[in-house]
């Protein structure tokens, strides 16, 4: 099955690792959990089992952050993962749900158009008209299905949903029940049910959470990668995974090319060069780790199909421009300043400078 889909779910892609962990996991498990909390942390952070099975790291960061997140889900509290764009909130949410419930697909995607039905329930209107209100005509949301099965429901981009839709979670999180007044009953959650929500306060279109809803979450903040080496590791491993998944006939990205992209992003994000000697204008975009992965992956595609298969400066240039220049006026000025003051002055970056100059900035607005 996993070979016929573009992006397998976490429990499909890492089924062998989850099975191997379950086989040697002798620690106590909370109700309905597939793995113990210690095994969930090992699955997320990686390691090696006594039989030699390698568990690949899914998240590169502070171990304590993951432990606090897992411990929260072992209680009756919901978990809110907060961070700037690109800090692996959704990625961590998916893998936690896969390790705990064996199902990471019970997802509500938050947007400005998300309705209350997406969080609570809807109706099969053909049956509703033909038979009247009945449980058979009720269409459960992912949250309602998770309540019935004792699984983890995921709510992505919680603060993008309208405030009144967000607040439909309050009863679910506080009472562990979902009233269905049309049928005069309520669905009560079975043990194991919880919610992992993600949110950030940097993007446009954010709706402030009510204090009543915020109190029902334990909030864990995911910071950006602390060091350049950590970010290089994340970008390199994810880009290589995506290259294999997309079957790109290109060489794995060279570490030095990944490091150049990561350094460009980190310097522009911070408004200062790595040595602190040059102050820089900050672009309007977030320049997240996820965007750095996208730059590398698109460069690999260019190299594979229109180059010699090796990722180089020419392939990186267009991706960098597309990532940095979101606002034609302010971002173009910031990027040109960075090229002239930083990139041009680094002898081993002259190829990148020429490649970026060769691209027409007018095409990146």
């Amino acid at each position: 099955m996993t070979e016929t889909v573009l992006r397998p779910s976490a429990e499909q892609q890492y089924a062998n690792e989850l099975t191997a962990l379950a086989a040697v996991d002798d620690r106590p498990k909370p109700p309905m959990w597939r793995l113990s909390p210690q095994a969930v942390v090992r699955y997320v952070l990686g390691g090696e089992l006594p039989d030699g099975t390698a568990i690949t790291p899914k998240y590169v960061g502070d171990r304590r952050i993951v432990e606090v997140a897992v411990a929260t889900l072992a209680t009756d509290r919901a978990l809110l993962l907060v961070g700037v764009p690109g800090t692996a909130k959704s990625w961590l949410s998916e893998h936690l749900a896969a390790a705990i419930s064996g199902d990471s697909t019970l997802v509500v995607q938050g947007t400005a158009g998300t309705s209350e039905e997406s969080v609570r329930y809807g109706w099969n209107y053909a049956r509703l008209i033909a038979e009247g209100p009945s449980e058979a005509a009720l269409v459960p949301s992912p949250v309602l299905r998770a309540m019935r099965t004792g699984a983890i429901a995921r709510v992505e981009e919680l603060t993008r949903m309208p405030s009144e839709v967000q607040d439909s979670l309050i009863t679910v999180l506080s009472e562990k029940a979902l009233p269905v007044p049309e049928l005069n009953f309520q669905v009560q959650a079975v043990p194991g049910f919880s919610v992992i929500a993600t949110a950030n306060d940097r993007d446009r279109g954010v709706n402030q959470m009510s204090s009543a809803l915020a109190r029902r979450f334990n909030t864990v903040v995911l910071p950006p990668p602390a060091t350049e080496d950590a970010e290089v590791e994340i970008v390199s491993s994810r880009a290589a995974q995506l290259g294999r998944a997309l079957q790109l006939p290109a060489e794995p990205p060279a570490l030095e090319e990944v490091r150049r992209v990561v350094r460009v992003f980190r310097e522009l994000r911070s408004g200062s060069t790595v040595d602190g000697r040059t102050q820089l204008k900050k672009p309007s975009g977030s320049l997240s780790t996820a965007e750095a992965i996208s730059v590398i992956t698109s460069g690999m595609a260019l190299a594979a199909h229109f180059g010699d298969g090796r990722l180089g400066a020419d392939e990186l240039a267009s991706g960098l421009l597309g990532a940095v220049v979101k606002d034609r006026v302010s971002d173009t000025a910031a990027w040109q300043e960075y090229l002239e003051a930083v990139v041009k002055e680094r002898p081993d970056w002259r190829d990148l400078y020429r490649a970026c100059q060769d691209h027409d900035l007018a095409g990146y607005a």
Side-chain angles (χ1 to χ4, degrees):
M1 176 63 182
T2 58
E3 295 179 356
T4 63
V5 299
L6 183 60
R7 187 191 182 281
S9 62
E11 59 271 18
Q12 293 173 327
Q13 187 173 359
Y14 297 97
N16 292 338
E17 292 185 16
L18 291 168
T19 300
L21 277 164
V24 300
D25 186 14
D26 57 0
R27 299 290 190 93
K29 303 178 183 65
M32 302 297 290
W33 282 38
R34 301 292 184 91
L35 298 173
S36 68
Q38 293 87 348
V40 173
V41 171
R42 177 175 283 190
Y43 167 76
V44 171
L45 296 180
E48 185 174 320
L49 300 184
D51 64 1
T53 301
I55 306 298
T56 56
K58 319 301 182 304
Y59 174 76
V60 178
D62 188 347
R63 179 184 185 89
R64 198 60 175 174
I65 289 176
V66 180
E67 291 176 342
V68 170
V70 173
T72 296
L73 295 170
T75 70
D76 64 348
R77 298 273 288 174
L79 173 65
L80 177 62
L81 300 175
V82 177
V84 298
T87 47
K89 300 181 297 295
S90 298
W91 184 250
L92 180 57
S93 168
E94 178 183 359
H95 284 286
L96 287 173
I100 292 169
S101 303
D103 184 359
S104 63
T105 64
L106 299 173
V107 183
V108 177
Q109 180 60 57
T111 69
T114 301
S115 67
E116 194 170 327
E117 290 183 350
S118 302
V119 177
R120 293 167 57 83
Y121 54 85
W123 295 98
N124 180 328
Y125 287 103
R127 297 195 69 163
L128 191 65
I129 293 170
E131 305 169 8
S134 68
E135 192 167 353
L138 187 144
V139 179
S141 70
V143 175
L144 184 53
R145 297 204 304 272
M147 294 175 69
R148 285 173 165 170
T149 58
I152 300 290
R154 299 167 53 211
V155 181
E156 292 295 317
E157 302 289 357
L158 175 63
T159 51
R160 286 189 174 279
M161 297 193 295
S163 298
E164 63 273 15
V165 178
Q166 294 179 30
D167 284 346
S168 64
L169 282 168
I170 291 177
T171 301
V172 171
L173 298 183
S174 60
E175 305 296 331
K176 302 298 185 287
L178 180 58
V180 186
E182 297 90 340
L183 301 179
N184 196 31
F185 80 97
Q186 64 178 3
V187 177
Q188 294 180 304
V190 303
F193 166 72
S194 194
V195 172
I196 304 175
T198 65
N200 75 74
D201 56 4
R202 287 280 298 274
D203 284 350
R204 296 183 179 94
V206 169
N207 297 303
Q208 187 69 33
M209 287 175 60
S210 68
S211 58
L213 180 58
R215 287 195 303 269
R216 285 158 174 82
F217 283 102
N218 188 32
T219 301
V220 173
V221 178
L222 300 185
T227 66
E228 182 179 292
D229 287 343
E231 192 162 4
V232 168
E233 180 183 350
I234 294 168
V235 174
S236 182
S237 62
R238 274 300 287 150
Q241 288 175 354
L242 288 170
R244 290 192 297 270
L246 297 171
Q247 299 181 19
L248 294 177
E251 296 179 6
L255 202 60
E256 57 267 25
E257 299 300 345
V258 176
R259 188 171 296 278
R260 288 208 286 190
V261 172
V262 168
R263 182 162 295 182
V264 169
F265 274 37
R266 291 181 71 89
E267 289 181 327
L268 287 172
R269 277 200 308 253
S270 66
S272 172
T273 53
V274 68
D275 58 12
R277 294 180 179 177
T278 305
Q279 299 303 304
L280 305 165
K281 293 178 183 176
K282 293 184 181 181
S284 60
S286 61
L287 296 179
S288 66
T289 305
E291 290 174 286
I293 294 168
S294 178
V295 169
I296 295 294
T297 306
S298 62
M300 290 169 62
L302 280 171
H305 299 299
F306 304 104
D308 60 4
R310 290 180 296 179
L311 179 67
D314 287 340
E315 289 76 27
L316 293 179
S318 60
L320 283 170
L321 288 169
V324 175
V325 182
K326 305 296 188 190
D327 180 274
R328 182 168 183 170
V329 177
S330 62
D331 291 347
T332 297
W335 178 238
Q336 286 285 25
E337 178 192 77
Y338 183 75
L339 284 178
E340 297 300 325
V342 180
V343 178
K344 185 178 181 180
E345 299 305 315
R346 290 175 174 164
D348 53 342
W349 283 29
R350 295 290 174 82
D351 58 336
L352 184 60
Y353 174 78
R354 289 191 296 269
C356 290
Q357 288 293 82
D358 287 344
H359 282 71
D360 183 8
L361 281 170
Y364 297 90

